[in-house]
Amino acid sequence: WRDVTGLWRHSRSTLRFLVASAVYRDGLAGVFTFGAVIASGTFGFSASEVVVFAIAANVVAGLSTFAAGFLDDRLGPKRVIVGSLIGLLVAGTAVFVLHDGGATVFWVFGLLLTVFVGPAQSASRSLLARVIPPGRESEIFGLYATTGRAASFLAPVAFSSFIAISGAQYWGVLGIMLVLGVGLALLLPVTVRPVPHEA
């Protein structure tokens, strides 16, 4: 608690990022956690089709994460995260709106979702390194892990609540999008100190 209140007094951007990242990272986890559930329950994937999709999703996420490293260097990690979260919101909304389109819709927009998950996760660690007060690296990375676990209930609660209220599984997609949207809104005010360029 002393660490958190100290950050509020002396490094508010760091604290804001820890809170924002805890929220949207749980949304990112929800994309993979509930993707198989939605694929099976809403889009009629068989067990073997879910496995094939999961393999494809992990390959796509890995390749996009590698490519995003170049964007991180050129544009900065915050822009990568913001762009990735917006992409996730667009793709997730398409999954929700077009859910009657069958398996093809999920293959297209479900894989598009995974394109943005990896870059958002990797850029988050990069951005964290830029908002840490000098000399507190180990402490803040520990808080980063702790806040992530503390917020791990958000996506499951939002997913199940939207389903319970609507009575239809595909509404759970909006629950995950809500968590990502809140995380994005919390991230926008975070300020990042510029990285000095080498001569």
Side-chain angles (χ1 to χ4, degrees):
W1 179 249
R2 283 196 301 270
D3 292 340
V4 172
T5 54
L7 287 174
W8 176 255
R9 287 194 299 267
H10 305 298
S11 186
R12 205 159 289 186
S13 284
T14 304
L15 183 59
R16 285 175 176 150
F17 176 68
L18 288 172
V19 173
S21 68
V23 175
Y24 72 70
R25 282 187 293 139
D26 193 51
L28 298 176
V31 170
F32 273 104
T33 301
F34 300 110
V37 176
I38 294 169
S40 176
T42 298
F43 292 92
F45 278 47
S46 66
S48 59
E49 287 172 329
V50 169
V51 171
V52 172
F53 181 86
I55 294 171
N58 279 281
V59 170
V60 169
L63 292 174
S64 64
T65 301
F66 178 78
F70 296 99
L71 293 177
D72 192 317
D73 291 335
R74 297 178 66 87
L75 303 177
K78 183 178 177 181
R79 290 181 179 177
V80 172
I81 299 169
V82 170
S84 296
L85 293 177
I86 292 173
L88 283 159
L89 291 170
V90 171
T93 301
V95 170
F96 172 77
V97 172
L98 303 175
H99 68 277
D100 286 331
T104 301
V105 167
F106 194 77
W107 269 106
V108 173
F109 293 104
L111 285 180
L112 187 58
L113 279 166
T114 65
V115 167
F116 299 109
V117 171
Q121 290 175 328
S122 63
S124 294
R125 290 183 284 273
S126 177
L127 179 55
L128 178 63
R130 299 191 186 190
V131 298
I132 294 176
R136 301 182 66 181
E137 289 80 7
S138 296
E139 171 193 347
I140 301 303
F141 268 98
L143 281 173
Y144 180 76
T146 301
T147 53
R149 294 189 186 95
S152 61
F153 68 93
L154 293 174
V157 168
F159 181 79
S160 57
S161 296
F162 271 70
I163 294 174
I165 293 170
S166 66
Q169 188 195 60
Y170 67 92
W171 277 84
V173 175
L174 287 189
I176 298 173
M177 295 303 106
L178 175 63
V179 175
L180 291 171
V182 171
L184 173 60
L186 292 171
L187 175 66
L188 292 176
V190 174
T191 55
V192 185
R193 66 176 183 268
V195 176
H197 295 284
E198 295 182 359

